[in-house]
Amino acid sequence: MSDKLKLSDLNSILKDLDVESLEGVTIEGDIELDIQGGGGMNPAMAYALGHEAAQISLHVANIARMLGYPVDQLFAQCLGAGGETAALQAEPAIEELMQAKFDVARSSEWNTPIQEVTLGATSADGGSRGHTITLGGEKAMPFYFDAEMPNRNYVTMDVFDMPISMAKSVKSNYEDVMGDPAEWAKKVVNEYNADMVTIHLISTDPLINDTPAKEAAKVVEDVLQAVNVPIVIGGSGNPQKDPEVLEKAAEVAEGERALLASASLNLDYERVAKAATDYGHAVLSWTQLEINAQKELNRKLMKQCNVPRDSIVMDPTTAALGYGLDYAYSNMERIRLSALMGDDELNFPMSSGTTNAWGARESWMKESPLKEDSDWGPREYRGPIWEIVTGLSLALAGNDMFMMMHPTSVQVLKEITQTLYGNIEAKTPDITNWITAEV
């Protein structure tokens, strides 16, 4: 190779490369370059400049390759096919990453643990439950790897004192027991692994059966004899009838440390609170997506009704996926953050009526009523997923207890939350295996 090169000679070299973007381009003028020994410069300097030029070429070639240009073919034409272009394939692999230290910054504002509330009473405590459960105790938002959660999340499954209308995919699990609340309770505990049972005394509603409170209380007794898990006792939602119903139910469940659901600002919460304190139960403080109302009710339960702090659980209301879940999440998260930062009117465990997910039409309708809408997919999958997503979202907001219905939803939610909690080995839940029998 000649030690000297003229600019005019570059025209023929570029022509041989057949670079489309240089078609028709010529270099005018003529300067003779002495390329021997780096153009007369110091050999070490020439080598260094050559190295830098080669590195730049590699980077440019890799950029062209990412943009889809056949760089390898181009260089093969210039240098000859073979191993000469191997160096252009990629940067040398990094053998070892730089050592780095990661420290978790703890929030100095989270200095107040959530109040612990125990539900259920064993024989040692004067009850007949096989075990108790404890809610609360957190010192941070849930599932932080550096913040201990002293108590895991729990699920209480719904049982009703009469057959009710349900989504087909839910009803198919309970058709054989819907006429017997005690057997229904046994099924959710023995077959579906419910941590607790919620018995809803909906037949007491004057607009349904208007079942007398004393008669409804017998159903509570039957459920207590059928299962040995802690229970939640709910009325019908009628603000005039519920205080009387919960009083009678609390009386027959004396000593069992049940959760009375619920006290609210739109009914006589003082009667419900008194029933709880007289017979040794806890109170579910229910408000409707309003943090100030929650503070007000909690304050009245504590200061006006003398309910102990360890006997209050909050239900700030659950709005389902697609029907205000984002607002429910924000509300619960605000409550939990305020509690951790010392608000003693919000510093209580939370419960979610996750069953509300079944009120969303997308969870139970066979298909969209709109012809132009996309395919919703099989409701046998869609319904449980709706309940799971609703519950899991609120678990991340700090919720401690979930009221649920579908067995598959319960199984998936428990597996995910207990994996995050550290109870079980992490794995990916396969919802299709759990629902196959229903499809």
Side-chain angles (χ1 to χ4, degrees), residues 134-304:
T134 300
L135 306 174
E138 299 94 335
K139 297 179 181 179
M141 292 301 287
F143 311 124
Y144 275 47
F145 67 89
D146 64 319
E148 179 187 5
M149 285 181 65
N151 304 298
R152 67 174 177 87
N153 306 97
Y154 290 92
V155 173
T156 176
M157 294 187 72
D158 293 328
V159 171
F160 298 86
D161 68 342
M162 61 175 285
I164 65 167
S165 177
M166 293 182 176
K168 184 179 178 180
S169 60
V170 176
K171 187 176 181 179
S172 62
N173 297 284
Y174 304 117
E175 287 180 315
D176 58 330
V177 294
M178 290 182 69
D180 188 337
E183 290 300 315
W184 195 339
K186 284 183 182 179
K187 186 166 189 175
V188 298
V189 172
N190 298 333
E191 296 185 27
Y192 302 143
N193 198 30
D195 299 311
M196 299 177 63
V197 170
T198 299
I199 175 64
H200 297 276
L201 304 174
I202 61 170
S203 71
T204 60
D205 192 326
L207 300 179
I208 301 179
N209 290 347
D210 200 16
T211 301
K214 187 174 181 179
E215 184 178 334
K218 294 179 181 178
V219 175
V220 176
E221 290 182 296
D222 292 340
V223 170
L224 286 169
Q225 292 176 7
V227 296
N228 69 347
V229 298
I231 70 168
V232 180
I233 305 172
S236 64
N238 183 284
Q240 287 73 42
K241 187 77 174 286
D242 274 1
E244 178 190 359
V245 171
L246 293 177
E247 282 175 335
K248 291 295 183 183
E251 183 179 355
V252 300
E254 183 175 9
E256 297 292 357
R257 187 67 176 165
L259 179 64
L260 302 186
S262 54
S264 69
L265 292 171
N266 67 342
L267 55 68
D268 191 348
Y269 57 84
E270 291 183 84
R271 290 180 65 182
V272 177
K274 187 175 187 303
T277 54
D278 285 352
Y279 299 109
H281 303 300
V283 178
L284 187 65
S285 174
W286 173 60
T287 56
Q288 295 176 293
L289 295 169
E290 219 292 289
I291 190 170
N292 290 322
Q294 190 71 67
K295 286 170 65 70
E296 178 186 356
L297 180 56
N298 293 348
R299 182 169 61 250
K300 288 181 175 179
L301 290 175
M302 289 186 291
K303 297 183 178 180
Q304 182 178 327

Side-chain angles (χ1 to χ4, degrees), residues 104-131:
V104 178
R106 294 180 176 272
S107 173
S108 59
E109 296 180 328
W110 296 356
N111 50 28
T112 307
I114 303 303
Q115 173 69 51
E116 288 190 330
V117 176
T118 298
L119 301 176
T122 63
S123 57
D125 302 313
S128 61
R129 304 300 87 196
H131 64 273

Side-chain angles (χ1 to χ4, degrees), residues 312-329:
I312 296 176
V313 177
M314 298 182 295
D315 180 356
T317 293
T318 294
L321 172 63
Y323 289 75
L325 176 60
D326 53 339
Y327 192 82
Y329 179 97

